[in-house]
Amino acid sequence: MSLRYALLAILRVGPLSGYDLQKQFSQSVGHVWHAPDSQIYPELRKMEAAGLVEGEEQARGERGTRRVYHVTDAGDRAYLEWMQSPLDYQRVRDPAHLRAAYLENTTPDAARAFLRAHIAEWEGELEQWEGELVRIDALGNPMLVRRLAVTPEEDRERTIAYKRFAYEGLVERARGEIAWARRGLALVDRLNP
Amino acid sequence: MSLRYALLAILRVGPLSGYDLQKQFSQSVGHVWHAPDSQIYPELRKMEAAGLVEGEEQARGERGTRRVYHVTDAGDRAYLEWMQSPLDYQRVRDPAHLRAAYLENTTPDAARAFLRAHIAEWEGELEQWEGELVRIDALGNPMLVRRLAVTPEEDRERTIAYKRFAYEGLVERARGEIAWARRGLALVDRLNP
DNA sequence: GTCCACATGTAATCAGTTACATGATTGA
DNA sequence: TCAATCATGTAACTGATTACATGTGGAC
Protein backbone atom coordinates (compact mmCIF):
# COMPACT_ATOMS: atom_id res chain seq x y z
CA MET A 1 0.00 0.00 0.00
CA SER A 2 3.00 2.29 0.44
CA LEU A 3 3.54 2.42 -3.31
CA ARG A 4 0.40 4.47 -3.63
CA TYR A 5 1.68 7.08 -1.20
CA ALA A 6 5.15 7.07 -2.69
CA LEU A 7 3.55 7.95 -6.03
CA LEU A 8 1.37 10.62 -4.43
CA ALA A 9 4.43 12.17 -2.77
CA ILE A 10 5.99 12.72 -6.18
CA LEU A 11 2.82 13.77 -7.99
CA ARG A 12 1.97 16.32 -5.29
CA VAL A 13 4.89 18.39 -6.49
CA GLY A 14 3.35 18.70 -9.92
CA PRO A 15 1.58 16.73 -12.69
CA LEU A 16 3.52 14.06 -14.55
CA SER A 17 2.85 11.39 -17.14
CA GLY A 18 3.13 7.76 -16.09
CA TYR A 19 6.39 7.55 -17.91
CA ASP A 20 7.93 10.65 -16.34
CA LEU A 21 6.61 9.67 -12.96
CA GLN A 22 8.28 6.33 -13.28
CA LYS A 23 11.60 7.99 -14.15
CA GLN A 24 11.43 10.44 -11.28
CA PHE A 25 10.41 7.58 -9.09
CA SER A 26 13.37 5.39 -9.91
CA GLN A 27 15.72 8.31 -9.31
CA SER A 28 14.31 9.30 -5.94
CA VAL A 29 11.89 7.22 -3.91
CA GLY A 30 12.92 4.20 -5.92
CA HIS A 31 16.03 4.01 -3.75
CA VAL A 32 13.80 3.37 -0.77
CA TRP A 33 10.85 1.67 -2.38
CA HIS A 34 11.44 -0.25 -5.54
CA ALA A 35 8.65 -0.62 -8.10
CA PRO A 36 8.84 -1.61 -11.77
CA ASP A 37 6.81 0.26 -14.40
CA SER A 38 4.55 -2.74 -14.79
CA GLN A 39 3.38 -2.01 -11.28
CA ILE A 40 3.23 1.76 -11.59
CA TYR A 41 0.92 2.04 -14.59
CA PRO A 42 -1.82 -0.21 -13.16
CA GLU A 43 -1.47 1.46 -9.75
CA LEU A 44 -2.07 4.86 -11.34
CA ARG A 45 -5.23 3.53 -12.96
CA LYS A 46 -6.42 2.16 -9.63
CA MET A 47 -5.65 5.47 -7.95
CA GLU A 48 -7.65 7.22 -10.62
CA ALA A 49 -10.56 4.84 -10.05
CA ALA A 50 -10.30 5.68 -6.34
CA GLY A 51 -10.41 9.40 -7.13
CA LEU A 52 -6.92 10.15 -5.75
CA VAL A 53 -5.50 11.33 -9.06
CA GLU A 54 -6.89 12.43 -12.38
CA GLY A 55 -5.35 11.68 -15.74
CA GLU A 56 -5.63 13.90 -18.77
CA GLU A 57 -4.98 12.48 -22.19
CA GLN A 58 -2.57 14.72 -24.09
CA ALA A 59 -1.73 14.59 -27.78
CA ARG A 60 1.87 13.77 -28.62
CA GLY A 61 2.78 14.22 -32.27
CA GLU A 62 0.32 12.96 -34.90
CA ARG A 63 -1.21 9.89 -33.35
CA GLY A 64 0.61 9.43 -30.03
CA THR A 65 -0.97 10.29 -26.68
CA ARG A 66 0.24 10.43 -23.14
CA ARG A 67 -1.70 10.55 -19.96
CA VAL A 68 -0.71 13.26 -17.51
CA TYR A 69 -1.78 12.74 -13.92
CA HIS A 70 -2.36 15.26 -11.19
CA VAL A 71 -3.35 14.79 -7.55
CA THR A 72 -6.96 15.59 -6.64
CA ASP A 73 -8.02 17.20 -3.35
CA ALA A 74 -9.09 13.78 -2.15
CA GLY A 75 -5.65 12.45 -3.08
CA ASP A 76 -3.95 15.22 -1.18
CA ARG A 77 -6.07 14.55 1.89
CA ALA A 78 -5.42 10.81 1.64
CA TYR A 79 -1.69 11.49 1.48
CA LEU A 80 -1.68 13.79 4.48
CA GLU A 81 -3.78 11.33 6.46
CA TRP A 82 -1.35 8.56 5.65
CA MET A 83 1.52 10.72 6.88
CA GLN A 84 -0.34 11.09 10.18
CA SER A 85 -1.27 7.44 10.53
CA PRO A 86 0.89 4.83 12.25
CA LEU A 87 3.06 2.85 9.87
CA ASP A 88 2.31 -0.83 9.66
CA TYR A 89 5.51 -2.71 10.21
CA GLN A 90 5.95 -5.96 8.36
CA ARG A 91 7.01 -8.93 10.39
CA VAL A 92 10.73 -9.73 10.03
CA ARG A 93 11.62 -11.89 7.07
CA ASP A 94 15.30 -11.75 6.54
CA PRO A 95 16.79 -14.43 4.28
CA ALA A 96 20.40 -13.42 4.97
CA HIS A 97 20.14 -13.70 8.74
CA LEU A 98 18.13 -16.86 8.31
CA ARG A 99 20.96 -18.42 6.40
CA ALA A 100 23.57 -17.01 8.75
CA ALA A 101 21.92 -18.78 11.68
CA TYR A 102 22.53 -22.14 9.99
CA LEU A 103 25.94 -21.71 8.41
CA GLU A 104 27.27 -24.73 10.31
CA ASN A 105 25.17 -26.84 7.92
CA THR A 106 27.32 -26.00 4.94
CA THR A 107 30.99 -25.94 3.95
CA PRO A 108 33.33 -23.15 5.04
CA ASP A 109 33.68 -22.17 1.40
CA ALA A 110 29.94 -21.85 0.88
CA ALA A 111 29.73 -19.83 4.09
CA ARG A 112 32.45 -17.49 2.84
CA ALA A 113 30.80 -17.17 -0.57
CA PHE A 114 27.52 -16.23 1.10
CA LEU A 115 29.17 -13.61 3.30
CA ARG A 116 31.13 -12.13 0.41
CA ALA A 117 27.96 -11.89 -1.66
CA HIS A 118 26.28 -10.17 1.28
CA ILE A 119 29.07 -7.63 1.40
CA ALA A 120 28.90 -7.07 -2.35
CA GLU A 121 25.12 -6.64 -2.22
CA TRP A 122 25.27 -4.04 0.53
CA GLU A 123 28.24 -2.27 -0.99
CA GLY A 124 26.10 -1.81 -4.08
CA GLU A 125 23.28 -0.31 -2.05
CA LEU A 126 25.72 1.80 -0.06
CA GLU A 127 27.12 3.28 -3.24
CA GLN A 128 23.66 4.22 -4.44
CA TRP A 129 22.67 5.84 -1.20
CA GLU A 130 25.93 7.68 -0.72
CA GLY A 131 25.51 8.92 -4.28
CA GLU A 132 22.06 10.15 -3.36
CA LEU A 133 23.52 12.06 -0.40
CA VAL A 134 26.03 13.71 -2.69
CA ARG A 135 23.29 14.64 -5.14
CA ILE A 136 21.16 16.03 -2.32
CA ASP A 137 24.01 18.27 -1.19
CA ALA A 138 24.83 19.32 -4.72
CA LEU A 139 21.16 19.78 -5.60
CA GLY A 140 21.84 17.32 -8.37
CA ASN A 141 18.64 15.35 -7.97
CA PRO A 142 16.00 16.47 -10.52
CA MET A 143 13.13 15.43 -8.29
CA LEU A 144 14.50 17.46 -5.40
CA VAL A 145 15.10 20.49 -7.59
CA ARG A 146 11.55 20.34 -8.91
CA ARG A 147 10.45 20.01 -5.33
CA LEU A 148 12.40 22.96 -4.02
CA ALA A 149 11.16 25.15 -6.87
CA VAL A 150 7.62 24.95 -5.47
CA THR A 151 8.70 25.08 -1.83
CA PRO A 152 8.62 28.35 0.08
CA GLU A 153 12.12 29.52 1.04
CA GLU A 154 11.68 28.86 4.75
CA ASP A 155 10.71 25.21 4.17
CA ARG A 156 13.64 24.32 1.97
CA GLU A 157 15.95 23.56 4.84
CA ARG A 158 13.40 21.14 6.24
CA THR A 159 12.95 19.41 2.91
CA ILE A 160 16.67 18.92 2.46
CA ALA A 161 17.26 17.96 6.07
CA TYR A 162 14.70 15.15 6.00
CA LYS A 163 16.03 13.76 2.74
CA ARG A 164 19.51 13.69 4.22
CA PHE A 165 18.16 12.11 7.37
CA ALA A 166 16.43 9.30 5.47
CA TYR A 167 19.44 8.48 3.33
CA GLU A 168 21.86 8.70 6.24
CA GLY A 169 19.82 6.01 7.93
CA LEU A 170 20.10 3.79 4.89
CA VAL A 171 23.82 4.40 4.61
CA GLU A 172 24.33 3.43 8.23
CA ARG A 173 22.31 0.29 7.76
CA ALA A 174 24.41 -0.71 4.76
CA ARG A 175 27.62 -0.09 6.70
CA GLY A 176 26.28 -2.18 9.54
CA GLU A 177 25.50 -5.11 7.25
CA ILE A 178 28.94 -4.92 5.69
CA ALA A 179 30.70 -4.81 9.05
CA TRP A 180 28.62 -7.72 10.28
CA ALA A 181 29.43 -9.87 7.25
CA ARG A 182 33.14 -9.05 7.58
CA ARG A 183 33.04 -10.26 11.16
CA GLY A 184 31.32 -13.34 9.81
CA LEU A 185 34.23 -14.00 7.48
CA ALA A 186 36.63 -13.74 10.39
CA LEU A 187 34.44 -16.13 12.35
CA VAL A 188 34.47 -18.71 9.55
CA ASP A 189 38.26 -18.52 9.52
CA ARG A 190 38.47 -18.89 13.25
CA LEU A 191 36.16 -21.93 13.27
CA ASN A 192 37.97 -23.60 10.38
CA PRO A 193 41.67 -23.21 10.98
CA MET B 1 10.78 -19.57 -1.04
CA SER B 2 12.93 -19.20 2.09
CA LEU B 3 10.11 -20.51 4.26
CA ARG B 4 10.59 -23.92 2.73
CA TYR B 5 14.26 -24.01 3.72
CA ALA B 6 13.60 -22.56 7.15
CA LEU B 7 11.22 -25.47 7.74
CA LEU B 8 13.72 -27.95 6.37
CA ALA B 9 16.43 -26.56 8.68
CA ILE B 10 14.27 -27.43 11.67
CA LEU B 11 12.98 -30.75 10.40
CA ARG B 12 16.47 -31.94 9.52
CA VAL B 13 17.19 -32.14 13.24
CA GLY B 14 14.41 -34.68 13.69
CA PRO B 15 10.79 -35.46 12.74
CA LEU B 16 8.04 -33.21 14.06
CA SER B 17 4.32 -32.79 13.62
CA GLY B 18 3.06 -29.65 11.89
CA TYR B 19 1.99 -28.33 15.24
CA ASP B 20 5.31 -28.97 17.00
CA LEU B 21 7.21 -27.69 14.02
CA GLN B 22 5.25 -24.49 14.15
CA LYS B 23 6.05 -24.06 17.85
CA GLN B 24 9.74 -24.70 17.40
CA PHE B 25 9.64 -22.41 14.44
CA SER B 26 8.17 -19.48 16.28
CA GLN B 27 10.72 -19.90 19.07
CA SER B 28 13.74 -20.04 16.81
CA VAL B 29 13.76 -19.21 13.11
CA GLY B 30 10.53 -17.29 13.61
CA HIS B 31 12.61 -14.45 15.03
CA VAL B 32 14.26 -14.11 11.65
CA TRP B 33 11.54 -15.34 9.34
CA HIS B 34 7.98 -14.91 10.48
CA ALA B 35 5.30 -17.31 9.28
CA PRO B 36 1.84 -17.99 10.69
CA ASP B 37 0.55 -21.55 11.02
CA SER B 38 -1.87 -20.93 8.19
CA GLN B 39 1.15 -20.71 5.96
CA ILE B 40 3.11 -23.56 7.52
CA TYR B 41 0.53 -26.35 7.15
CA PRO B 42 -0.07 -25.80 3.42
CA GLU B 43 3.65 -25.38 2.81
CA LEU B 44 4.31 -28.76 4.44
CA ARG B 45 1.75 -30.33 2.13
CA LYS B 46 3.41 -28.72 -0.88
CA MET B 47 6.81 -29.89 0.30
CA GLU B 48 5.41 -33.37 0.64
CA ALA B 49 4.02 -33.20 -2.89
CA ALA B 50 7.49 -32.13 -4.04
CA GLY B 51 9.05 -35.10 -2.25
CA LEU B 52 11.11 -33.03 0.18
CA VAL B 53 9.40 -34.36 3.30
CA GLU B 54 7.21 -37.31 4.14
CA GLY B 55 4.34 -37.23 6.59
CA GLU B 56 3.20 -40.18 8.64
CA GLU B 57 -0.25 -40.19 10.13
CA GLN B 58 -0.06 -41.12 13.81
CA ALA B 59 -2.92 -42.00 16.12
CA ARG B 60 -3.47 -39.64 18.99
CA GLY B 61 -5.95 -40.85 21.63
CA GLU B 62 -9.18 -42.51 20.42
CA ARG B 63 -10.00 -40.66 17.26
CA GLY B 64 -7.41 -37.93 16.90
CA THR B 65 -4.50 -38.10 14.48
CA ARG B 66 -1.41 -36.08 13.87
CA ARG B 67 0.89 -36.01 10.94
CA VAL B 68 4.57 -36.34 11.71
CA TYR B 69 6.95 -35.14 9.02
CA HIS B 70 10.51 -36.14 8.34
CA VAL B 71 12.96 -34.93 5.71
CA THR B 72 13.61 -37.24 2.76
CA ASP B 73 16.99 -37.66 1.09
CA ALA B 74 15.78 -35.39 -1.69
CA GLY B 75 14.78 -32.82 0.92
CA ASP B 76 18.18 -33.00 2.52
CA ARG B 77 19.90 -32.53 -0.82
CA ALA B 78 17.61 -29.62 -1.70
CA TYR B 79 18.44 -27.97 1.60
CA LEU B 80 22.19 -28.37 1.19
CA GLU B 81 21.97 -27.08 -2.38
CA TRP B 82 20.07 -24.05 -1.21
CA MET B 83 22.77 -23.35 1.39
CA GLN B 84 25.32 -23.39 -1.44
CA SER B 85 23.30 -21.23 -3.80
CA PRO B 86 23.46 -17.45 -3.92
CA LEU B 87 20.73 -15.77 -1.92
CA ASP B 88 18.28 -13.74 -3.93
CA TYR B 89 18.10 -10.31 -2.38
CA GLN B 90 14.77 -8.55 -2.52
CA ARG B 91 14.77 -5.04 -3.84
CA VAL B 92 14.56 -2.42 -1.06
CA ARG B 93 11.08 -1.61 0.12
CA ASP B 94 11.29 0.27 3.36
CA PRO B 95 8.16 2.11 4.46
CA ALA B 96 9.86 3.80 7.43
CA HIS B 97 12.65 5.38 5.40
CA LEU B 98 10.14 6.23 2.69
CA ARG B 99 8.13 8.22 5.17
CA ALA B 100 11.22 9.73 6.75
CA ALA B 101 12.24 11.16 3.38
CA TYR B 102 9.02 13.18 3.27
CA LEU B 103 8.55 14.25 6.87
CA GLU B 104 8.46 17.91 5.85
CA ASN B 105 5.02 17.19 4.42
CA THR B 106 3.47 16.66 7.81
CA THR B 107 3.29 18.37 11.19
CA PRO B 108 6.15 18.23 13.68
CA ASP B 109 3.89 16.29 16.02
CA ALA B 110 3.10 13.66 13.42
CA ALA B 111 6.80 13.43 12.62
CA ARG B 112 7.60 12.89 16.29
CA ALA B 113 4.85 10.31 16.66
CA PHE B 114 6.22 8.42 13.68
CA LEU B 115 9.77 8.43 15.06
CA ARG B 116 8.66 7.38 18.53
CA ALA B 117 6.67 4.51 17.04
CA HIS B 118 9.74 3.52 15.08
CA ILE B 119 11.77 3.44 18.26
CA ALA B 120 9.12 1.42 20.06
CA GLU B 121 8.89 -1.05 17.19
CA TRP B 122 12.62 -1.67 17.12
CA GLU B 123 12.92 -1.77 20.88
CA GLY B 124 10.42 -4.60 20.79
CA GLU B 125 12.50 -6.48 18.24
CA LEU B 126 15.68 -5.70 20.14
CA GLU B 127 14.27 -7.18 23.29
CA GLN B 128 13.34 -10.39 21.47
CA TRP B 129 16.71 -10.77 19.86
CA GLU B 130 18.67 -9.95 22.98
CA GLY B 131 16.52 -12.49 24.77
CA GLU B 132 17.45 -15.02 22.13
CA LEU B 133 21.15 -14.28 22.70
CA VAL B 134 20.70 -14.88 26.42
CA ARG B 135 18.88 -18.14 25.72
CA ILE B 136 21.62 -19.23 23.32
CA ASP B 137 24.27 -18.66 25.98
CA ALA B 138 22.21 -20.33 28.68
CA LEU B 139 21.20 -23.16 26.32
CA GLY B 140 17.65 -22.16 27.11
CA ASN B 141 16.34 -22.52 23.59
CA PRO B 142 14.56 -25.88 23.12
CA MET B 143 15.29 -25.94 19.40
CA LEU B 144 18.98 -25.39 20.00
CA VAL B 145 19.13 -28.05 22.71
CA ARG B 146 17.45 -30.57 20.41
CA ARG B 147 19.93 -29.54 17.79
CA LEU B 148 23.00 -29.92 19.95
CA ALA B 149 21.83 -33.34 21.16
CA VAL B 150 22.29 -34.70 17.63
CA THR B 151 25.43 -32.69 16.90
CA PRO B 152 28.87 -34.24 17.30
CA GLU B 153 30.85 -32.62 20.10
CA GLU B 154 33.33 -30.91 17.78
CA ASP B 155 30.56 -29.17 15.80
CA ARG B 156 28.75 -27.71 18.78
CA GLU B 157 30.95 -24.66 19.00
CA ARG B 158 30.21 -23.91 15.34
CA THR B 159 26.50 -24.32 15.80
CA ILE B 160 26.41 -21.96 18.75
CA ALA B 161 28.81 -19.48 17.20
CA TYR B 162 26.71 -19.06 14.05
CA LYS B 163 23.51 -18.63 16.02
CA ARG B 164 25.17 -15.91 18.07
CA PHE B 165 26.53 -14.32 14.95
CA ALA B 166 23.10 -14.17 13.30
CA TYR B 167 21.37 -12.69 16.32
CA GLU B 168 24.18 -10.23 17.01
CA GLY B 169 23.61 -8.87 13.53
CA LEU B 170 19.93 -8.39 14.21
CA VAL B 171 20.63 -6.74 17.55
CA GLU B 172 23.01 -4.29 15.90
CA ARG B 173 20.49 -3.49 13.24
CA ALA B 174 17.82 -2.77 15.86
CA ARG B 175 20.22 -0.52 17.78
CA GLY B 176 21.02 1.30 14.57
CA GLU B 177 17.36 1.94 13.80
CA ILE B 178 16.76 3.22 17.32
CA ALA B 179 19.77 5.53 17.23
CA TRP B 180 18.69 6.84 13.84
CA ALA B 181 15.16 7.59 14.99
CA ARG B 182 16.48 9.34 18.11
CA ARG B 183 18.57 11.58 15.91
CA GLY B 184 15.42 12.17 13.91
CA LEU B 185 13.62 13.38 17.01
CA ALA B 186 16.45 15.81 17.70
CA LEU B 187 16.24 16.98 14.09
CA VAL B 188 12.52 17.66 14.35
CA ASP B 189 13.18 19.74 17.46
CA ARG B 190 15.95 21.65 15.74
CA LEU B 191 13.82 22.41 12.69
CA ASN B 192 10.82 23.47 14.76
CA PRO B 193 12.09 25.65 17.57
C1' DG C 1 16.09 3.38 -42.09
C1' DT C 2 17.26 2.23 -37.85
C1' DC C 3 17.92 2.89 -33.15
C1' DC C 4 16.88 4.88 -28.76
C1' DA C 5 13.83 7.06 -25.83
C1' DC C 6 9.01 7.73 -25.23
C1' DA C 7 4.74 5.63 -23.83
C1' DT C 8 1.54 2.13 -21.92
C1' DG C 9 0.01 -1.64 -20.67
C1' DT C 10 -1.80 -7.23 -19.80
C1' DA C 11 -1.47 -11.99 -17.90
C1' DA C 12 0.14 -15.50 -15.09
C1' DT C 13 1.99 -16.59 -11.02
C1' DC C 14 3.68 -16.39 -6.24
C1' DA C 15 4.24 -15.37 -1.44
C1' DG C 16 2.07 -13.73 2.34
C1' DT C 17 -2.02 -11.89 5.28
C1' DT C 18 -6.45 -12.19 7.45
C1' DA C 19 -10.30 -14.28 8.60
C1' DC C 20 -12.80 -18.20 9.05
C1' DA C 21 -13.57 -22.99 10.48
C1' DT C 22 -13.44 -27.32 13.13
C1' DG C 23 -12.66 -30.67 16.30
C1' DA C 24 -10.00 -33.82 19.93
C1' DT C 25 -7.40 -34.48 24.27
C1' DT C 26 -5.89 -33.61 28.76
C1' DG C 27 -5.74 -31.94 33.27
C1' DA C 28 -7.85 -29.19 37.05
C1' DT D 1 -17.39 -29.91 32.88
C1' DC D 2 -14.71 -26.52 31.31
C1' DA D 3 -10.65 -24.38 29.68
C1' DA D 4 -6.25 -24.75 27.67
C1' DT D 5 -3.66 -26.79 24.46
C1' DC D 6 -3.21 -29.90 20.75
C1' DA D 7 -4.09 -30.35 15.88
C1' DT D 8 -5.13 -29.00 11.08
C1' DG D 9 -6.62 -26.73 7.79
C1' DT D 10 -9.50 -23.53 3.72
C1' DA D 11 -10.77 -19.20 1.25
C1' DA D 12 -10.49 -14.66 -0.22
C1' DC D 13 -7.54 -11.18 -1.00
C1' DT D 14 -3.36 -8.16 -1.66
C1' DG D 15 0.93 -6.79 -3.24
C1' DA D 16 4.69 -7.85 -5.97
C1' DT D 17 7.39 -10.35 -9.76
C1' DT D 18 8.17 -11.92 -14.37
C1' DA D 19 7.33 -12.25 -18.81
C1' DC D 20 5.01 -10.79 -22.60
C1' DA D 21 3.18 -7.31 -25.82
C1' DT D 22 2.77 -3.16 -28.74
C1' DG D 23 3.41 0.96 -30.85
C1' DT D 24 5.17 6.24 -31.76
C1' DG D 25 8.55 10.10 -32.24
C1' DG D 26 12.75 12.13 -33.07
C1' DA D 27 17.59 12.17 -34.11
C1' DC D 28 21.40 10.57 -36.74
Side-chain angles (χ1 to χ4, degrees), chain B residues 9 23 55 58 71-72 81-82 86 103 117 125 141-142 155 159:
Chain B
K23 296 220 109 179
Q58 283 188 355
V71 179
T72 63
E81 262 165 48
W82 179 75
L103 281 180
E125 304 279 21
N141 180 314
D155 290 340
T159 303

Side-chain angles (χ1 to χ4, degrees), chain A residues 82-87 89 162, chain B residues 96 99 103 106-121 181 184-185 188-189:
Chain A
W82 179 76
M83 287 294 291
Q84 303 255 2
S85 72
L87 213 55
Y89 286 86
Y162 285 128
Chain B
R99 185 172 286 186
L103 281 180
T106 192
T107 62
D109 277 350
R112 287 191 193 98
F114 156 69
L115 291 164
R116 285 198 203 101
H118 192 74
I119 292 169
E121 173 72 20
L185 283 173
V188 175
D189 287 343

Side-chain angles (χ1 to χ4, degrees), chain A residues 56-91:
Chain A
E56 273 172 278
E57 208 74 29
Q58 283 187 356
R60 172 171 165 270
E62 290 292 295
R63 276 182 301 274
T65 59
R66 51 190 224 132
R67 204 169 170 75
V68 176
Y69 291 92
H70 65 264
V71 178
T72 63
D73 286 354
D76 205 55
R77 277 198 304 279
Y79 176 80
L80 294 172
E81 263 166 46
W82 179 76
M83 287 294 291
Q84 303 255 2
S85 72
L87 213 55
D88 62 320
Y89 286 86
Q90 302 299 317
R91 238 76 78 85

Side-chain angles (χ1 to χ4, degrees), chain A residues 2 64 84 175:
Chain A
S2 294
Q84 303 255 2
R175 287 194 208 284

Side-chain angles (χ1 to χ4, degrees), chain A:
Chain A
M1 198 63 333
S2 294
L3 173 59
R4 173 162 299 196
Y5 299 101
L7 295 178
L8 281 175
I10 298 185
L11 277 181
R12 266 167 42 96
V13 179
L16 286 172
S17 68
Y19 184 82
D20 288 334
L21 172 58
Q22 181 236 106
K23 296 221 106 179
Q24 300 260 343
F25 188 89
S26 68
Q27 286 166 37
S28 58
V29 211
H31 291 121
V32 180
W33 193 274
H34 167 81
D37 46 356
S38 69
Q39 205 189 345
I40 291 178
Y41 287 116
E43 184 63 26
L44 277 170
R45 291 289 184 167
K46 276 189 233 161
M47 288 162 74
E48 186 165 27
L52 303 178
V53 298
E54 259 171 30
E56 273 172 278
E57 208 74 29
Q58 283 187 356
R60 172 171 165 270
E62 290 292 295
R63 276 182 301 274
T65 59
R66 51 190 224 132
R67 204 169 170 75
V68 176
Y69 291 92
H70 65 264
V71 178
T72 63
D73 286 354
D76 205 55
R77 277 198 304 279
Y79 176 80
L80 294 172
E81 263 166 46
W82 179 76
M83 287 294 291
Q84 303 255 2
S85 72
L87 213 55
D88 62 320
Y89 286 86
Q90 302 299 317
R91 238 76 78 85
V92 199
R93 200 165 281 117
D94 186 330
H97 289 255
L98 168 60
R99 185 171 287 186
Y102 291 92
L103 281 180
E104 73 275 13
N105 286 334
T106 192
T107 61
D109 277 349
R112 286 190 193 99
F114 156 69
L115 291 164
R116 286 199 202 102
H118 193 73
I119 291 170
E121 172 73 20
W122 284 99
E123 275 177 348
E125 303 278 21
L126 178 60
E127 205 178 315
Q128 287 227 339
W129 291 326
E130 281 183 328
E132 237 351 75
L133 279 181
V134 169
R135 276 189 289 284
I136 288 168
D137 291 336
L139 288 184
N141 180 315
M143 163 74 192
L144 183 57
V145 168
R146 199 168 70 98
R147 184 67 179 295
L148 291 174
V150 297
T151 305
E153 179 99 38
E154 65 272 21
D155 290 340
R156 284 186 200 166
E157 191 199 347
R158 248 195 251 310
T159 303
I160 292 176
Y162 285 128
K163 296 276 164 300
R164 274 206 69 93
F165 170 60
Y167 282 97
E168 278 167 13
L170 293 169
V171 162
E172 282 158 27
R173 170 154 196 217
R175 287 194 208 284
E177 293 289 340
I178 292 166
W180 172 73
R182 284 201 216 283
R183 272 180 23 233
L185 283 173
L187 176 62
V188 175
D189 287 343
R190 190 163 67 66
L191 291 173
N192 304 279

